[in-house]
Amino acid sequence: EPEPWEVAYYDLKARKDEQVRKKMPDEWFKKTGQDDMGQDVDDKDKEQMQMAPRTTEADEKNDIRSLDRGLERRLYLVVQGKDGKWGFPQAVRNEGEGMRAAALRGLVEHCGEEF
């Protein structure tokens, strides 16, 4: 169940999105037969893909120090830039790169390989 501020945020976001809605380039989105990384997926791979459970051992133990809990809720990563301002990690999408691949590359650039 979303918090009241989340409901208000998404309502405002939907109204603003409607006001400034633009047609995004088709190449920004994955094409049929590709996974989230923009890689080709064959039928065998599709059969092996399964969603992970949203309730974890950390949830059951109420381990509030674990990041492996509360998966049904959203978690936002903000980083402090070189200018001292806080914001979401950003990356420029390279030619031929899928949106997810660009996002993952941006995370590695901002947070390192072990993140």
Side-chain angles (χ1 to χ4, degrees):
E1 186 68 27
E3 303 269 336
W5 68 267
E6 291 175 305
V7 173
Y9 166 79
Y10 286 114
D11 180 50
L12 177 63
K13 183 179 182 323
R15 287 185 300 187
K16 292 295 183 186
D17 286 348
E18 189 63 35
Q19 291 174 352
V20 296
R21 187 166 309 272
K22 295 180 182 178
K23 171 82 171 105
M24 298 297 168
D26 291 334
E27 65 269 9
W28 283 18
F29 303 98
K30 68 180 181 180
K31 296 168 179 57
T32 304
Q34 291 183 339
D35 65 7
D36 288 338
M37 298 292 289
Q39 303 296 320
D40 290 336
V41 177
D42 60 26
D43 291 333
K44 182 180 177 185
D45 290 336
K46 288 179 187 176
E47 291 171 6
Q48 294 175 353
M49 293 182 198
Q50 295 181 14
M51 293 292 290
R54 306 224 357 120
T55 303
T56 67
E57 182 180 340
D59 287 319
E60 293 168 3
K61 292 181 177 180
N62 198 26
D63 180 3
I64 62 172
R65 292 177 180 238
S66 173
L67 293 177
D68 294 329
R69 64 175 196 84
L71 300 179
E72 73 280 355
R73 300 191 63 182
R74 285 181 169 70
L75 177 67
Y76 297 96
L77 173 67
V78 291
V79 294
Q80 189 171 21
K82 293 177 183 174
D83 60 359
K85 295 182 181 177
W86 289 90
F88 297 113
Q90 297 181 15
V92 175
R93 188 176 63 88
N94 296 328
E95 186 68 33
E97 185 177 37
M99 294 295 284
R100 183 176 175 99
L104 290 174
R105 181 179 46 76
L107 279 174
V108 169
E109 288 172 2
H110 282 281
C111 303
E113 289 283 337
E114 285 142 27
F115 180 76

